[in-house]
Amino acid sequence: MPQAAITRRRFITIAASGMAIAALGNVRAAWTRDIAPMRWRGSALGAQVSIEIHHPDPRAAMELVDASVHMVRRFERLFSLYRSDSAICELNRSGVLIAPEPDMVELLRAALRLSQLTDGAFDPTVQPLWQCCERHFARAGADAAGPPPQELAEALAKVGYAGLRVSDDRIALARRGASITLNGIAQGYATDRVVELLRRGGLSTTLVDIGEIRAIGARPDGTPWRIGLADADAAGRTFATIDLIDRAVATSSGSGFRFDRDGKFNHLFDPATGRSSARYRSVSVVAATATEADALSTAFSVMSEQHIAELVAARPGLEVVLSNAAGQLRTLRS
């Protein structure tokens, strides 16, 4: 029987088992054996959360659920811009974090490596651009052309990953008024850490989705997990599928968040210009880790196709699916 596609979705699902899994529709899974899953539902990292662990041992399943929830909650206290008491909000308020937690240091170091790799196309310090657009479009009668040039220039002057200083005992923002966002990488990092947890728990065939998707091994029958890439402009429809075995996939699209009705201003900011990117309808990246796939899908959204192709050619194991403004697809592989 052909495999159906699992469509990338915005809420968190961990579907873990040694049993076979097949996708039904775009968000649900059916198991070949009647195993009652252990479930937890809530919200975290700015999204609705649903964690399900399918495991033949109910006690082991419950322990994995509890451990996964605890880990996701801990990351939320570090990385979430939606919590005023998070570590990232404290850094943005004061410009410095003393004795930061190791996960914050690890993630920021990964962010800086990926910033260097993409020549700054991925940049965690673009938060002032978000704030500039948010303030502008919150005003009554906001100009559809976007923030005034002077306001945009002032925000852009605060952007630049070179001004983010990270060490084991201190994180600092060198530019006055600078702030960071980890929305283009934190979900990937959380996915990778949960994968590590589930591997330690003995799971060898699992699909984890915490905003980004990563497969542990193949499906129990040895075939790849098949992931459907959602059409940004047509809910419930996919435009391509990707097969995963021990790989991760992440997708970025300007339609994920729009400041204005026409969608000219979205969350994918080009750190070089301060403007939102409209190069592609969507960018999907397959990589060894969800952290890398997440950050690169963000970076590639503002990069030219030629620049993307050059980076892919130089970095083994990458696969990129570009959907241009007209909906035409191109796949790049290293």
Side-chain angles (χ1 to χ4, degrees):
M1 180 182 296
Q3 298 176 42
I6 301 172
T7 303
R8 183 182 183 276
R9 52 209 184 274
R10 295 188 63 187
F11 59 83
I12 300 173
T13 301
I14 302 172
S17 178
M19 309 302 168
I21 180 174
L24 298 178
N26 66 339
V27 296
R28 295 188 179 275
W31 299 84
T32 57
R33 299 185 188 178
D34 187 19
I35 298 176
M38 296 296 173
R39 294 188 178 96
W40 178 86
R41 299 182 188 277
S43 61
L45 295 173
Q48 291 302 304
V49 179
S50 173
I51 294 178
E52 295 187 4
I53 301 291
H54 295 249
H55 196 289
D57 182 344
R59 182 185 296 273
M62 180 58 71
E63 289 175 353
L64 288 172
V65 166
D66 290 343
S68 298
V69 171
H70 178 76
M71 178 174 284
V72 170
R73 285 301 191 208
R74 186 166 61 82
F75 289 154
E76 188 175 40
R77 291 194 297 271
L78 294 177
F79 309 140
S80 178
L81 288 170
Y82 300 94
R83 289 184 53 151
S84 61
D85 62 344
S86 69
I88 189 174
C89 286
E90 173 59 26
L91 174 62
N92 287 344
R93 280 192 299 268
S94 65
V96 64
L97 274 182
I98 304 299
E101 292 204 24
D103 278 303
M104 177 64 84
V105 173
E106 182 178 348
L107 179 52
L108 287 178
R109 282 177 169 159
L112 291 177
R113 287 194 300 271
L114 289 159
S115 296
Q116 293 171 341
L117 177 69
T118 60
D119 297 325
F122 177 78
D123 191 328
T125 69
V126 296
Q127 184 64 7
L129 298 172
W130 173 287
Q131 294 166 335
C132 179
C133 281
E134 184 179 45
R135 285 193 303 269
H136 174 77
F137 286 104
R139 296 168 184 153
D143 187 347
Q150 181 178 351
E151 290 185 15
L152 185 62
E154 289 173 355
L156 188 57
K158 301 172 185 176
V159 174
Y161 70 90
L164 175 60
R165 313 290 169 78
V166 181
S167 68
D168 288 341
D169 57 1
R170 188 173 185 268
I171 298 170
L173 297 169
R175 289 184 172 89
R176 184 181 179 87
S179 56
I180 68 169
T181 173
L182 294 171
N183 288 349
I185 191 172
Q187 289 183 334
Y189 181 81
T191 299
D192 289 334
R193 291 299 308 277
V194 170
V195 163
E196 294 170 8
L197 185 156
L198 296 180
R199 283 189 188 277
R200 292 194 301 269
L203 295 173
S204 59
T205 173
T206 302
L207 197 68
V208 177
D209 179 357
I210 303 184
E212 316 308 340
I213 295 172
R214 182 171 170 182
I216 298 177
R219 289 159 50 99
D221 62 3
T223 60
W225 300 95
R226 180 157 293 174
I227 310 301
L229 303 182
D231 189 327
D233 296 323
R237 188 174 72 185
T238 61
F239 63 85
T241 59
I242 289 177
D243 289 348
L244 294 183
I245 298 178
D246 270 328
R247 308 285 285 167
V249 60
T251 299
S252 291
S253 171
S255 65
F257 183 89
R258 295 170 174 171
F259 291 95
D260 62 321
R261 182 180 302 175
D262 296 331
K264 294 179 180 178
F265 295 85
N266 60 61
H267 66 292
L268 296 172
F269 293 103
D270 185 342
T273 65
R275 295 287 180 180
S276 297
S277 176
R279 285 180 180 270
Y280 311 103
R281 288 173 63 178
S282 67
V283 177
S284 298
V285 176
V286 178
T289 68
T291 302
E292 182 176 9
D294 194 4
L296 290 183
S297 69
T298 301
F300 291 169
S301 295
V302 305
M303 291 167 58
S304 70
E305 192 171 312
Q306 179 179 350
H307 193 181
I308 296 170
E310 291 170 355
L311 195 152
V312 169
R315 195 166 181 85
L318 284 185
E319 180 178 346
V320 181
V321 179
L322 302 174
S323 175
N324 67 16
Q328 299 169 321
L329 299 182
R330 183 181 179 190
T331 300
L332 306 173
R333 296 184 179 89
S334 55

